[in-house]
Amino acid sequence: MPQSRPRIIPEATVARLAVYLRVLAGLADGGRSHVSSGELASAAGVNPAGLRKDLSYLGPCGVRGVGYSVAGLRDRLTDALGGERSRPCVLIGIGRLGSALADYAGFASRGFEFVGLLDTDPAAVGRRVGGLPVRPVAELEAVVAETQATIGVITTPAEVAQSVCDRLVSVGVRSILNFAPVALTVPAGVDVRKVDLSVELQVLAFLDQQRHGTPPLVAPLRAAQGSAR
Amino acid sequence: MPQSRPRIIPEATVARLAVYLRVLAGLADGGRSHVSSGELASAAGVNPAGLRKDLSYLGPCGVRGVGYSVAGLRDRLTDALGGERSRPCVLIGIGRLGSALADYAGFASRGFEFVGLLDTDPAAVGRRVGGLPVRPVAELEAVVAETQATIGVITTPAEVAQSVCDRLVSVGVRSILNFAPVALTVPAGVDVRKVDLSVELQVLAFLDQQRHGTPPLVAPLRAAQGSAR
DNA sequence: ACGACTTTGTTCAGGCGTTCACAAGCGGTT
DNA sequence: AACCGCTTGTGAACGCCTGAACAAAGTCGT
Protein backbone atom coordinates (compact mmCIF):
# COMPACT_ATOMS: atom_id res chain seq x y z
CA MET A 1 0.00 0.00 0.00
CA PRO A 2 2.38 2.66 -1.21
CA GLN A 3 -0.02 5.52 -0.76
CA SER A 4 2.32 7.56 1.38
CA ARG A 5 3.94 10.54 -0.27
CA PRO A 6 6.40 11.94 2.21
CA ARG A 7 8.51 13.95 -0.17
CA ILE A 8 7.68 17.57 -0.65
CA ILE A 9 7.45 19.14 -4.07
CA PRO A 10 9.85 21.99 -4.88
CA GLU A 11 8.15 25.21 -5.86
CA ALA A 12 9.94 25.31 -9.18
CA THR A 13 8.50 21.91 -9.94
CA VAL A 14 5.01 23.04 -9.00
CA ALA A 15 5.24 25.88 -11.47
CA ARG A 16 6.22 23.46 -14.21
CA LEU A 17 3.47 21.03 -13.27
CA ALA A 18 1.03 23.81 -14.00
CA VAL A 19 2.56 24.19 -17.44
CA TYR A 20 2.35 20.47 -18.11
CA LEU A 21 -1.26 20.52 -17.06
CA ARG A 22 -2.11 23.14 -19.63
CA VAL A 23 -0.30 21.28 -22.37
CA LEU A 24 -2.12 18.10 -21.42
CA ALA A 25 -5.46 19.86 -21.51
CA GLY A 26 -4.70 20.90 -25.07
CA LEU A 27 -3.68 17.40 -26.05
CA ALA A 28 -6.81 15.96 -24.49
CA ASP A 29 -8.92 18.34 -26.54
CA GLY A 30 -7.03 17.17 -29.58
CA GLY A 31 -8.06 13.62 -28.89
CA ARG A 32 -4.63 12.29 -28.01
CA SER A 33 -4.66 9.34 -25.64
CA HIS A 34 -0.96 8.98 -24.83
CA VAL A 35 2.17 11.14 -24.78
CA SER A 36 5.82 10.47 -24.23
CA SER A 37 7.92 12.49 -21.87
CA GLY A 38 9.94 13.75 -24.81
CA GLU A 39 6.99 15.15 -26.65
CA LEU A 40 5.47 16.65 -23.54
CA ALA A 41 8.77 18.18 -22.57
CA SER A 42 9.31 19.85 -25.90
CA ALA A 43 5.80 21.26 -25.82
CA ALA A 44 6.44 22.63 -22.37
CA GLY A 45 9.91 23.87 -23.20
CA VAL A 46 11.81 21.80 -20.65
CA ASN A 47 14.22 18.92 -20.50
CA PRO A 48 12.63 15.44 -20.82
CA ALA A 49 14.59 14.06 -17.87
CA GLY A 50 13.54 16.98 -15.76
CA LEU A 51 9.94 16.46 -16.70
CA ARG A 52 10.06 12.84 -15.62
CA LYS A 53 11.65 13.88 -12.37
CA ASP A 54 8.93 16.44 -11.83
CA LEU A 55 6.22 13.88 -12.41
CA SER A 56 7.94 11.36 -10.19
CA TYR A 57 7.08 13.53 -7.21
CA LEU A 58 3.51 12.43 -7.72
CA GLY A 59 4.46 8.78 -7.80
CA PRO A 60 4.43 6.57 -10.88
CA CYS A 61 2.21 8.22 -13.44
CA GLY A 62 3.11 6.57 -16.70
CA VAL A 63 3.50 3.21 -18.32
CA ARG A 64 6.94 2.13 -19.41
CA GLY A 65 7.31 1.55 -23.07
CA VAL A 66 4.11 3.48 -23.75
CA GLY A 67 4.17 6.89 -22.14
CA TYR A 68 1.64 8.79 -20.12
CA SER A 69 -2.11 8.58 -20.41
CA VAL A 70 -3.15 12.09 -21.36
CA ALA A 71 -6.42 12.09 -19.45
CA GLY A 72 -4.98 10.18 -16.53
CA LEU A 73 -2.02 12.46 -16.08
CA ARG A 74 -4.19 15.49 -16.51
CA ASP A 75 -6.45 14.40 -13.69
CA ARG A 76 -3.51 13.47 -11.53
CA LEU A 77 -1.94 16.89 -12.03
CA THR A 78 -5.24 18.63 -11.44
CA ASP A 79 -5.53 16.91 -8.09
CA ALA A 80 -1.95 17.62 -7.13
CA LEU A 81 -2.35 21.30 -7.89
CA GLY A 82 -5.38 21.72 -5.74
CA GLY A 83 -8.23 19.95 -7.45
CA GLU A 84 -10.56 21.54 -9.87
CA ARG A 85 -12.89 23.09 -7.39
CA SER A 86 -13.45 26.75 -8.05
CA ARG A 87 -11.15 29.03 -6.12
CA PRO A 88 -12.66 32.39 -5.22
CA CYS A 89 -10.35 35.35 -5.69
CA VAL A 90 -10.63 39.02 -4.82
CA LEU A 91 -8.96 41.66 -6.92
CA ILE A 92 -8.00 45.00 -5.47
CA GLY A 93 -7.19 47.86 -7.80
CA ILE A 94 -9.36 47.93 -10.88
CA GLY A 95 -7.15 49.98 -13.13
CA ARG A 96 -6.22 48.92 -16.61
CA LEU A 97 -4.24 45.93 -15.49
CA GLY A 98 -6.83 44.94 -12.93
CA SER A 99 -9.60 45.15 -15.49
CA ALA A 100 -7.61 43.04 -17.89
CA LEU A 101 -7.11 40.37 -15.27
CA ALA A 102 -10.73 40.49 -14.15
CA ASP A 103 -12.02 39.15 -17.40
CA TYR A 104 -9.05 37.18 -18.55
CA ALA A 105 -10.61 33.95 -19.71
CA GLY A 106 -7.50 31.98 -18.91
CA PHE A 107 -8.23 32.22 -15.21
CA ALA A 108 -11.83 31.13 -15.18
CA SER A 109 -11.09 28.11 -17.31
CA ARG A 110 -8.61 26.92 -14.72
CA GLY A 111 -10.89 27.24 -11.75
CA PHE A 112 -10.01 30.72 -10.60
CA GLU A 113 -13.07 32.87 -10.23
CA PHE A 114 -13.09 36.49 -9.29
CA VAL A 115 -15.80 36.99 -6.73
CA GLY A 116 -14.92 40.48 -5.61
CA LEU A 117 -13.53 43.55 -7.34
CA LEU A 118 -12.48 46.48 -5.20
CA ASP A 119 -11.19 49.97 -5.84
CA THR A 120 -10.85 53.24 -4.01
CA ASP A 121 -11.62 55.48 -6.96
CA PRO A 122 -15.28 56.56 -6.75
CA ALA A 123 -15.32 56.75 -10.53
CA ALA A 124 -14.48 53.07 -10.78
CA VAL A 125 -16.84 51.90 -8.04
CA GLY A 126 -20.10 50.67 -9.44
CA ARG A 127 -18.71 49.97 -12.87
CA ARG A 128 -19.13 46.44 -14.07
CA VAL A 129 -16.05 44.54 -15.12
CA GLY A 130 -16.36 41.03 -16.40
CA GLY A 131 -19.92 40.81 -15.14
CA LEU A 132 -19.04 41.86 -11.61
CA PRO A 133 -19.65 45.24 -10.01
CA VAL A 134 -16.70 47.12 -8.55
CA ARG A 135 -17.17 47.79 -4.87
CA PRO A 136 -15.42 50.30 -2.60
CA VAL A 137 -12.25 49.02 -1.04
CA ALA A 138 -13.64 49.89 2.36
CA GLU A 139 -15.77 46.77 2.04
CA LEU A 140 -12.76 44.55 1.58
CA GLU A 141 -13.20 42.68 4.83
CA ALA A 142 -16.91 42.20 4.22
CA VAL A 143 -16.38 40.94 0.69
CA VAL A 144 -13.79 38.41 1.77
CA ALA A 145 -16.03 37.22 4.57
CA GLU A 146 -19.09 36.75 2.43
CA THR A 147 -17.34 35.20 -0.54
CA GLN A 148 -14.88 33.08 1.42
CA ALA A 149 -12.16 34.19 -0.96
CA THR A 150 -8.84 32.48 -0.39
CA ILE A 151 -6.70 34.30 -2.93
CA GLY A 152 -6.07 38.03 -3.15
CA VAL A 153 -4.72 39.74 -6.24
CA ILE A 154 -3.22 43.19 -5.74
CA THR A 155 -3.01 45.54 -8.70
CA THR A 156 -3.04 48.79 -6.77
CA PRO A 157 -0.41 51.51 -6.85
CA ALA A 158 2.67 50.65 -4.86
CA GLU A 159 1.91 53.08 -2.05
CA VAL A 160 -1.21 51.31 -0.83
CA ALA A 161 -0.25 47.73 -1.64
CA GLN A 162 1.14 46.95 1.79
CA SER A 163 -1.92 48.27 3.56
CA VAL A 164 -4.22 46.29 1.28
CA CYS A 165 -2.08 43.25 1.88
CA ASP A 166 -2.28 43.65 5.64
CA ARG A 167 -6.04 43.87 5.49
CA LEU A 168 -6.27 40.77 3.33
CA VAL A 169 -4.11 38.84 5.76
CA SER A 170 -6.10 40.07 8.72
CA VAL A 171 -9.28 38.50 7.36
CA GLY A 172 -7.66 35.18 6.59
CA VAL A 173 -6.38 35.41 3.01
CA ARG A 174 -3.16 33.47 2.90
CA SER A 175 -2.36 33.48 -0.80
CA ILE A 176 -1.51 36.75 -2.47
CA LEU A 177 -0.50 37.58 -6.01
CA ASN A 178 1.15 40.97 -6.10
CA PHE A 179 1.53 43.09 -9.22
CA ALA A 180 2.49 46.23 -7.34
CA PRO A 181 6.19 47.08 -7.56
CA VAL A 182 6.93 46.72 -3.86
CA ALA A 183 8.12 43.93 -1.62
CA LEU A 184 5.24 42.99 0.62
CA THR A 185 5.85 41.99 4.21
CA VAL A 186 3.64 39.20 5.46
CA PRO A 187 3.60 36.98 8.54
CA ALA A 188 4.72 33.39 8.32
CA GLY A 189 2.15 31.11 6.78
CA VAL A 190 1.16 33.57 4.09
CA ASP A 191 2.43 33.07 0.56
CA VAL A 192 3.11 35.95 -1.77
CA ARG A 193 4.04 35.68 -5.40
CA LYS A 194 5.17 38.80 -7.17
CA VAL A 195 4.88 39.65 -10.82
CA ASP A 196 6.96 42.64 -11.78
CA LEU A 197 6.48 43.64 -15.38
CA SER A 198 9.05 46.42 -15.39
CA VAL A 199 11.69 44.06 -14.12
CA GLU A 200 11.05 41.67 -16.98
CA LEU A 201 11.61 44.39 -19.52
CA GLN A 202 14.65 45.64 -17.67
CA VAL A 203 16.22 42.20 -17.77
CA LEU A 204 15.63 42.05 -21.49
CA ALA A 205 17.24 45.44 -21.87
CA PHE A 206 20.26 44.23 -19.96
CA LEU A 207 20.63 41.12 -22.06
CA ASP A 208 20.28 43.20 -25.19
CA GLN A 209 22.98 45.60 -24.09
CA GLN A 210 25.18 42.72 -23.06
CA ARG A 211 24.93 41.31 -26.54
CA HIS A 212 25.95 44.54 -28.21
CA GLY A 213 28.33 45.69 -25.54
CA THR A 214 30.29 42.52 -24.96
CA PRO A 215 33.43 43.79 -26.73
CA PRO A 216 33.42 47.33 -25.36
CA LEU A 217 32.36 46.37 -21.85
CA VAL A 218 35.19 48.42 -20.43
CA ALA A 219 32.74 49.90 -18.00
CA PRO A 220 32.38 53.61 -17.25
CA LEU A 221 33.90 53.17 -13.81
CA ARG A 222 35.26 56.51 -12.79
CA ALA A 223 36.38 57.57 -16.23
CA ALA A 224 32.75 58.12 -17.07
CA GLN A 225 32.76 60.03 -20.30
CA GLY A 226 30.44 62.95 -19.98
CA SER A 227 27.67 61.02 -18.35
CA ALA A 228 25.43 64.02 -17.91
CA ARG A 229 23.55 63.91 -14.65
CA MET B 1 44.64 48.46 -13.17
CA PRO B 2 41.64 46.46 -12.06
CA GLN B 3 39.29 47.82 -14.66
CA SER B 4 38.50 44.47 -16.15
CA ARG B 5 35.25 42.87 -15.20
CA PRO B 6 35.48 39.36 -16.45
CA ARG B 7 32.71 37.95 -14.31
CA ILE B 8 29.31 37.73 -15.84
CA ILE B 9 26.22 38.75 -13.95
CA PRO B 10 23.74 35.97 -13.16
CA GLU B 11 20.28 36.59 -14.53
CA ALA B 12 18.72 36.31 -11.09
CA THR B 13 21.00 39.09 -9.97
CA VAL B 14 20.03 41.27 -12.91
CA ALA B 15 16.38 40.95 -11.97
CA ARG B 16 17.15 42.06 -8.45
CA LEU B 17 19.29 44.95 -9.66
CA ALA B 18 16.21 46.25 -11.40
CA VAL B 19 14.35 46.13 -8.12
CA TYR B 20 17.12 47.95 -6.31
CA LEU B 21 17.08 50.58 -8.99
CA ARG B 22 13.43 51.28 -8.44
CA VAL B 23 13.85 51.50 -4.69
CA LEU B 24 16.76 53.86 -5.16
CA ALA B 25 14.74 56.07 -7.45
CA GLY B 26 12.16 56.37 -4.72
CA LEU B 27 14.78 57.20 -2.12
CA ALA B 28 16.32 59.81 -4.39
CA ASP B 29 12.94 61.48 -4.78
CA GLY B 30 12.65 61.47 -1.03
CA GLY B 31 15.88 63.41 -0.76
CA ARG B 32 17.96 60.67 0.85
CA SER B 33 21.66 60.92 0.12
CA HIS B 34 22.91 57.61 1.53
CA VAL B 35 21.57 54.14 2.28
CA SER B 36 22.96 51.11 3.98
CA SER B 37 22.75 47.66 2.47
CA GLY B 38 20.48 46.59 5.30
CA GLU B 39 17.92 49.27 4.66
CA LEU B 40 18.03 48.82 0.94
CA ALA B 41 17.71 45.07 1.30
CA SER B 42 14.68 45.25 3.51
CA ALA B 43 13.00 47.65 1.11
CA ALA B 44 13.71 45.28 -1.74
CA GLY B 45 12.75 42.21 0.23
CA VAL B 46 16.08 40.41 0.02
CA ASN B 47 18.96 39.40 2.22
CA PRO B 48 21.50 42.16 2.98
CA ALA B 49 24.48 39.96 2.21
CA GLY B 50 22.92 38.90 -1.05
CA LEU B 51 22.34 42.51 -1.98
CA ARG B 52 25.97 43.36 -1.37
CA LYS B 53 27.03 40.40 -3.46
CA ASP B 54 24.72 41.50 -6.23
CA LEU B 55 26.18 44.98 -6.22
CA SER B 56 29.71 43.64 -6.08
CA TYR B 57 29.28 42.39 -9.64
CA LEU B 58 29.44 46.03 -10.67
CA GLY B 59 32.62 46.61 -8.75
CA PRO B 60 32.92 48.64 -5.55
CA CYS B 61 29.88 50.87 -5.36
CA GLY B 62 29.73 51.98 -1.77
CA VAL B 63 31.81 53.54 0.95
CA ARG B 64 32.67 51.43 3.95
CA GLY B 65 31.35 52.75 7.17
CA VAL B 66 28.91 54.99 5.36
CA GLY B 67 26.83 53.05 2.86
CA TYR B 68 25.87 53.71 -0.72
CA SER B 69 25.35 57.05 -2.34
CA VAL B 70 21.74 56.99 -3.47
CA ALA B 71 22.25 59.02 -6.60
CA GLY B 72 25.57 57.41 -7.39
CA LEU B 73 24.30 53.89 -7.07
CA ARG B 74 21.17 54.74 -9.01
CA ASP B 75 23.23 56.00 -11.93
CA ARG B 76 25.55 53.04 -11.72
CA LEU B 77 22.63 50.62 -11.85
CA THR B 78 21.00 52.53 -14.65
CA ASP B 79 24.13 52.16 -16.70
CA ALA B 80 24.54 48.51 -15.88
CA LEU B 81 20.98 47.73 -16.90
CA GLY B 82 21.30 49.32 -20.28
CA GLY B 83 21.47 53.05 -19.78
CA GLU B 84 18.53 55.33 -19.73
CA ARG B 85 18.12 55.69 -23.42
CA SER B 86 14.62 55.01 -24.61
CA ARG B 87 14.04 51.47 -25.78
CA PRO B 88 11.45 51.10 -28.50
CA CYS B 89 9.06 48.18 -28.06
CA VAL B 90 6.40 46.67 -30.27
CA LEU B 91 3.35 45.03 -28.78
CA ILE B 92 1.44 42.37 -30.65
CA GLY B 93 -2.04 41.49 -29.53
CA ILE B 94 -4.04 44.44 -28.34
CA GLY B 95 -6.60 42.64 -26.25
CA ARG B 96 -7.37 43.60 -22.70
CA LEU B 97 -3.97 42.66 -21.39
CA GLY B 98 -2.21 44.25 -24.31
CA SER B 99 -4.14 47.47 -23.88
CA ALA B 100 -3.31 47.52 -20.22
CA LEU B 101 0.37 47.14 -20.95
CA ALA B 102 0.28 49.71 -23.74
CA ASP B 103 -0.48 52.53 -21.42
CA TYR B 104 1.04 51.25 -18.25
CA ALA B 105 2.93 54.26 -16.97
CA GLY B 106 5.47 52.11 -15.21
CA PHE B 107 7.08 51.23 -18.51
CA ALA B 108 7.47 54.68 -19.98
CA SER B 109 9.01 56.02 -16.81
CA ARG B 110 11.73 53.41 -17.06
CA GLY B 111 12.64 54.08 -20.63
CA PHE B 112 10.47 51.55 -22.39
CA GLU B 113 8.39 53.14 -25.06
CA PHE B 114 5.82 51.40 -27.18
CA VAL B 115 6.30 52.52 -30.73
CA GLY B 116 4.09 50.00 -32.44
CA LEU B 117 0.82 48.30 -31.57
CA LEU B 118 -0.35 45.46 -33.75
CA ASP B 119 -3.42 43.26 -33.91
CA THR B 120 -5.18 41.03 -36.38
CA ASP B 121 -8.70 41.91 -35.35
CA PRO B 122 -10.07 44.47 -37.83
CA ALA B 123 -12.20 45.87 -35.04
CA ALA B 124 -9.10 46.68 -33.03
CA VAL B 125 -7.06 48.08 -35.89
CA GLY B 126 -7.26 51.84 -36.07
CA ARG B 127 -8.26 52.21 -32.46
CA ARG B 128 -5.97 54.39 -30.42
CA VAL B 129 -4.43 52.95 -27.29
CA GLY B 130 -2.19 55.07 -25.15
CA GLY B 131 -1.91 57.67 -27.88
CA LEU B 132 -0.83 55.18 -30.53
CA PRO B 133 -2.93 53.78 -33.34
CA VAL B 134 -3.30 50.02 -33.63
CA ARG B 135 -2.00 48.75 -36.95
CA PRO B 136 -2.69 45.47 -38.71
CA VAL B 137 -0.31 42.70 -37.79
CA ALA B 138 0.52 42.25 -41.44
CA GLU B 139 2.64 45.36 -41.14
CA LEU B 140 4.74 43.87 -38.36
CA GLU B 141 7.94 43.75 -40.39
CA ALA B 142 7.43 47.30 -41.66
CA VAL B 143 6.75 48.66 -38.21
CA VAL B 144 9.84 47.06 -36.72
CA ALA B 145 11.94 48.35 -39.58
CA GLU B 146 10.75 51.91 -39.36
CA THR B 147 10.77 52.16 -35.59
CA GLN B 148 13.96 50.19 -35.00
CA ALA B 149 12.23 48.37 -32.19
CA THR B 150 14.47 46.04 -30.25
CA ILE B 151 11.95 44.48 -27.88
CA GLY B 152 8.81 42.59 -28.80
CA VAL B 153 5.97 41.95 -26.38
CA ILE B 154 3.56 39.18 -27.29
CA THR B 155 0.09 39.21 -25.81
CA THR B 156 -1.64 37.25 -28.52
CA PRO B 157 -3.58 34.02 -28.11
CA ALA B 158 -1.34 31.00 -27.72
CA GLU B 159 -2.04 29.64 -31.18
CA VAL B 160 -0.39 32.47 -33.07
CA ALA B 161 2.35 33.36 -30.60
CA GLN B 162 5.00 31.20 -32.22
CA SER B 163 4.34 32.59 -35.65
CA VAL B 164 4.46 36.15 -34.37
CA CYS B 165 7.67 35.31 -32.55
CA ASP B 166 9.24 33.90 -35.69
CA ARG B 167 8.40 37.03 -37.61
CA LEU B 168 9.85 39.25 -34.91
CA VAL B 169 13.06 37.27 -34.92
CA SER B 170 13.26 37.34 -38.68
CA VAL B 171 13.38 41.12 -38.68
CA GLY B 172 16.02 41.35 -35.99
CA VAL B 173 14.18 41.55 -32.70
CA ARG B 174 16.25 39.63 -30.20
CA SER B 175 14.44 40.36 -26.94
CA ILE B 176 10.94 39.01 -26.46
CA LEU B 177 8.57 39.18 -23.55
CA ASN B 178 5.92 36.51 -23.91
CA PHE B 179 2.58 36.55 -22.12
CA ALA B 180 1.06 33.81 -24.25
CA PRO B 181 0.82 30.47 -22.48
CA VAL B 182 3.15 28.58 -24.78
CA ALA B 183 6.83 27.81 -24.83
CA LEU B 184 8.34 29.75 -27.69
CA THR B 185 11.15 28.25 -29.74
CA VAL B 186 13.80 30.71 -30.80
CA PRO B 187 17.26 30.46 -32.32
CA ALA B 188 20.34 30.99 -30.22
CA GLY B 189 21.06 34.63 -29.50
CA VAL B 190 17.45 35.51 -28.89
CA ASP B 191 16.21 35.97 -25.35
CA VAL B 192 12.70 35.18 -24.30
CA ARG B 193 11.17 35.86 -20.94
CA LYS B 194 7.82 34.37 -20.16
CA VAL B 195 5.16 35.67 -17.84
CA ASP B 196 2.47 33.12 -17.16
CA LEU B 197 -0.31 34.50 -15.03
CA SER B 198 -2.26 31.28 -14.74
CA VAL B 199 0.79 29.48 -13.45
CA GLU B 200 1.22 32.02 -10.69
CA LEU B 201 -2.30 31.47 -9.49
CA GLN B 202 -1.94 27.73 -9.79
CA VAL B 203 1.15 27.77 -7.60
CA LEU B 204 -0.74 29.74 -5.00
CA ALA B 205 -3.56 27.24 -5.15
CA PHE B 206 -1.11 24.42 -4.58
CA LEU B 207 0.50 26.13 -1.62
CA ASP B 208 -2.93 26.83 -0.19
CA GLN B 209 -3.99 23.23 -0.51
CA GLN B 210 -0.70 22.09 0.95
CA ARG B 211 -1.31 24.22 4.01
CA HIS B 212 -4.72 22.81 4.69
CA GLY B 213 -3.83 19.34 3.65
CA THR B 214 -0.55 18.95 5.47
CA PRO B 215 -1.94 16.78 8.26
CA PRO B 216 -4.36 14.87 6.02
CA LEU B 217 -2.03 14.69 3.08
CA VAL B 218 -3.26 11.21 2.39
CA ALA B 219 -4.24 12.61 -0.95
CA PRO B 220 -7.85 12.68 -2.12
CA LEU B 221 -7.08 9.98 -4.63
CA ARG B 222 -10.37 8.23 -4.96
CA ALA B 223 -11.62 8.62 -1.41
CA ALA B 224 -12.41 12.27 -2.02
CA GLN B 225 -15.13 13.21 0.41
CA GLY B 226 -18.00 14.74 -1.46
CA SER B 227 -15.85 16.52 -3.98
CA ALA B 228 -18.82 17.26 -6.18
CA ARG B 229 -16.32 18.41 -8.80
C1' DA C 1 5.92 -17.79 -25.99
C1' DC C 2 10.17 -15.42 -26.37
C1' DG C 3 13.07 -11.58 -27.60
C1' DA C 4 14.00 -6.97 -28.55
C1' DC C 5 12.69 -2.22 -28.53
C1' DT C 6 10.69 1.61 -26.36
C1' DT C 7 9.90 4.50 -22.49
C1' DT C 8 9.62 5.38 -17.68
C1' DG C 9 11.64 6.01 -12.96
C1' DT C 10 15.72 6.70 -10.40
C1' DT C 11 20.37 7.63 -9.11
C1' DC C 12 24.47 10.32 -9.59
C1' DA C 13 27.33 14.06 -10.49
C1' DG C 14 27.74 19.05 -11.75
C1' DG C 15 26.58 23.90 -11.49
C1' DC C 16 24.23 27.70 -9.65
C1' DG C 17 22.38 30.47 -6.22
C1' DT C 18 21.96 31.69 -1.55
C1' DT C 19 23.53 32.33 3.17
C1' DC C 20 26.61 32.98 6.83
C1' DA C 21 30.72 34.86 8.82
C1' DC C 22 35.03 37.52 8.78
C1' DA C 23 38.51 40.71 7.32
C1' DA C 24 39.36 45.27 5.14
C1' DG C 25 38.50 50.10 4.93
C1' DC C 26 36.64 54.64 5.98
C1' DG C 27 34.70 58.37 8.92
C1' DG C 28 34.21 60.54 13.19
C1' DT C 29 36.00 61.51 17.65
C1' DT C 30 39.20 62.47 21.28
C1' DA D 1 47.51 61.53 15.24
C1' DA D 2 45.51 57.46 16.81
C1' DC D 3 41.46 54.82 18.15
C1' DC D 4 36.81 52.94 17.68
C1' DG D 5 32.60 51.74 15.57
C1' DC D 6 30.17 51.05 11.50
C1' DT D 7 29.57 49.21 6.90
C1' DT D 8 31.14 47.23 2.74
C1' DG D 9 33.21 43.50 0.07
C1' DT D 10 34.53 38.77 -0.28
C1' DG D 11 35.63 33.95 0.67
C1' DA D 12 33.70 29.51 1.91
C1' DA D 13 30.03 26.23 3.12
C1' DC D 14 25.44 24.74 2.41
C1' DG D 15 21.41 23.43 -0.10
C1' DC D 16 18.64 23.29 -4.29
C1' DC D 17 17.91 22.51 -8.85
C1' DT D 18 19.21 20.96 -13.24
C1' DG D 19 21.09 17.70 -16.71
C1' DA D 20 22.80 13.28 -18.04
C1' DA D 21 23.42 8.20 -17.74
C1' DC D 22 21.51 3.54 -16.19
C1' DA D 23 18.30 -0.05 -14.77
C1' DA D 24 13.45 -1.74 -14.51
C1' DA D 25 9.31 -2.75 -16.91
C1' DG D 26 5.96 -3.29 -20.21
C1' DT D 27 4.50 -3.91 -25.06
C1' DC D 28 4.84 -5.26 -29.83
C1' DG D 29 6.34 -8.39 -33.35
C1' DT D 30 7.61 -12.88 -34.78
Side-chain angles (χ1 to χ4, degrees):
Chain A
M1 203 191 211
Q3 74 171 14
S4 73
R5 200 180 308 154
R7 40 194 166 188
I8 63 164
I9 305 182
E11 201 161 309
T13 291
V14 174
R16 283 190 297 266
L17 291 181
V19 176
Y20 307 154
L21 175 54
R22 176 168 35 217
V23 175
L24 285 166
L27 289 173
D29 289 348
R32 288 287 297 274
S33 68
H34 287 273
V35 226
S36 69
S37 64
E39 188 178 359
L40 197 52
S42 91
V46 301
N47 186 294
L51 180 141
R52 292 199 296 273
K53 188 182 249 313
D54 285 341
L55 294 181
S56 76
Y57 284 105
L58 309 177
C61 299
V63 180
R64 301 180 187 224
V66 175
Y68 299 93
S69 155
V70 170
L73 187 54
R74 167 173 54 90
D75 295 346
R76 176 78 75 109
L77 284 177
T78 300
D79 276 350
L81 293 176
E84 49 180 24
R85 67 170 166 284
S86 175
R87 295 193 169 266
C89 309
V90 290
L91 177 61
I92 302 98
I94 317 298
R96 304 185 207 281
L97 180 58
S99 300
L101 296 178
D103 45 30
Y104 175 42
F107 290 159
S109 71
R110 307 197 72 72
F112 299 100
E113 185 191 3
F114 286 107
V115 294
L117 307 180
L118 302 159
D119 203 304
T120 44
D121 185 3
V125 172
R127 229 179 65 210
R128 289 193 149 262
V129 178
L132 215 60
V134 178
R135 300 173 59 174
V137 76
E139 301 177 11
L140 190 155
E141 288 80 2
V143 169
V144 173
E146 73 192 39
T147 62
Q148 289 294 304
T150 57
I151 296 179
V153 181
I154 299 178
T155 53
T156 65
E159 301 81 43
V160 298
Q162 181 66 60
S163 117
V164 166
C165 173
D166 292 342
R167 292 173 61 187
L168 283 171
V169 171
S170 74
V171 289
V173 175
R174 283 185 286 193
S175 300
I176 292 173
L177 181 56
N178 177 33
F179 287 84
V182 282
L184 296 179
T185 304
V186 293
V190 177
D191 294 304
V192 176
R193 287 186 75 86
K194 182 182 171 189
V195 176
D196 197 320
L197 303 175
S198 303
V199 166
E200 299 299 328
L201 282 180
Q202 202 100 56
V203 171
L204 284 176
F206 169 82
L207 295 172
D208 188 55
Q209 165 191 274
Q210 202 178 38
R211 261 194 307 264
H212 295 92
T214 304
L217 188 69
V218 285
L221 277 177
R222 63 215 104 235
Q225 76 296 5
S227 76
R229 77 161 341 176
Chain B
M1 203 188 211
Q3 74 170 16
S4 71
R5 198 180 310 158
R7 39 192 168 186
I8 63 164
I9 306 183
E11 201 161 309
T13 292
V14 174
R16 283 189 297 267
L17 291 180
V19 176
Y20 307 153
L21 176 53
R22 177 167 39 214
V23 175
L24 285 166
L27 289 173
D29 288 348
R32 289 285 298 271
S33 67
H34 288 273
V35 226
S36 68
S37 64
E39 189 179 357
L40 197 52
S42 91
V46 301
N47 186 295
L51 180 141
R52 290 199 297 272
K53 192 179 247 318
D54 285 340
L55 293 181
S56 76
Y57 285 106
L58 309 177
C61 300
V63 180
R64 303 181 186 223
V66 175
Y68 299 94
S69 155
V70 171
L73 187 54
R74 168 173 53 90
D75 295 347
R76 175 80 73 109
L77 285 178
T78 301
D79 276 349
L81 293 176
E84 47 180 26
R85 66 170 165 284
S86 174
R87 296 192 170 266
C89 309
V90 288
L91 177 62
I92 302 97
I94 316 298
R96 303 185 206 281
L97 180 58
S99 302
L101 295 179
D103 46 29
Y104 175 43
F107 290 159
S109 71
R110 307 198 73 73
F112 300 100
E113 185 192 1
F114 286 108
V115 295
L117 307 181
L118 302 159
D119 202 304
T120 44
D121 184 5
V125 171
R127 228 179 66 208
R128 287 192 150 260
V129 178
L132 216 59
V134 178
R135 299 174 60 174
V137 78
E139 300 178 11
L140 189 155
E141 287 80 1
V143 169
V144 172
E146 73 192 38
T147 61
Q148 289 293 303
T150 56
I151 296 178
V153 181
I154 299 178
T155 52
T156 65
E159 301 81 44
V160 298
Q162 182 66 59
S163 117
V164 166
C165 173
D166 292 342
R167 292 173 62 187
L168 284 171
V169 171
S170 74
V171 290
V173 175
R174 284 186 286 192
S175 299
I176 292 173
L177 181 57
N178 177 33
F179 287 85
V182 282
L184 296 179
T185 303
V186 293
V190 177
D191 294 305
V192 176
R193 286 186 74 87
K194 183 180 170 189
V195 176
D196 196 320
L197 303 174
S198 302
V199 166
E200 299 299 327
L201 282 179
Q202 203 99 57
V203 172
L204 284 176
F206 169 82
L207 295 172
D208 189 55
Q209 164 190 272
Q210 202 179 37
R211 259 196 307 267
H212 295 91
T214 303
L217 188 70
V218 285
L221 280 178
R222 62 217 106 236
Q225 78 293 5
S227 77
R229 72 163 347 162

